[in-house]
Amino acid sequence: GHYWLNAEVNGVPARFLVDTGASGVILPADFAEREGLPKGQVFQTYTANGIGRAYETEIQSLVIGSIQLGPMRAAVAENMPGGYGLLGMTALRQLDFSQRDGELILRQAF
């Protein structure tokens, strides 16, 4: 029941787990550091990985296939394992999505 996707954040390849339970787009700290994303306010997170710390950042673009989103606020989680991010509702609410035959179909909402 998990859906993974490949995307680009500010033109850089990134892998995401689609997570309708996440309020925002969450990036792993190693990705954010490598790409020089700005560090904003620090806050506490409550996730399936436990309690952690994150900081606010901004991404200029999020591209999923032919879908182009951004700029948007995102979070950088220090305790994000596996090198992947979470595609949460700040991005998903801009999309129409449905499920068919075990596939997740995403379309840009207009």
Side-chain angles (χ1 to χ4, degrees):
H2 291 90
Y3 292 104
W4 296 92
L5 59 84
N6 295 314
E8 290 184 0
V9 174
N10 296 345
V12 177
R15 185 143 173 89
F16 286 93
L17 174 67
V18 177
D19 187 350
T20 58
S23 59
V25 172
I26 303 172
L27 301 166
D30 61 340
F31 179 90
E33 289 170 16
R34 185 175 61 245
E35 300 308 319
L37 294 177
K39 288 186 175 183
Q41 184 168 341
V42 174
F43 61 95
Q44 197 166 33
T45 61
Y46 302 91
T47 70
N49 292 326
I51 298 173
R53 287 177 14 131
Y55 62 86
E56 295 176 354
T57 194
E58 175 128 350
I59 57 176
Q60 296 306 306
S61 68
L62 174 62
V63 177
I64 307 162
S66 63
I67 298 169
Q68 297 186 19
L69 305 173
M72 70 177 64
R73 295 176 76 184
V76 175
E78 294 177 352
N79 68 337
M80 182 67 73
Y84 63 86
L86 299 177
L87 189 70
M89 292 308 296
T90 54
L92 293 172
R93 73 172 169 239
Q94 299 179 58
L95 305 174
D96 290 326
F97 54 97
S98 60
Q99 186 179 14
R100 184 179 318 135
D101 297 326
E103 289 188 356
L104 182 66
I105 301 163
L106 301 174
R107 291 189 182 94
Q108 192 153 12
F110 293 99

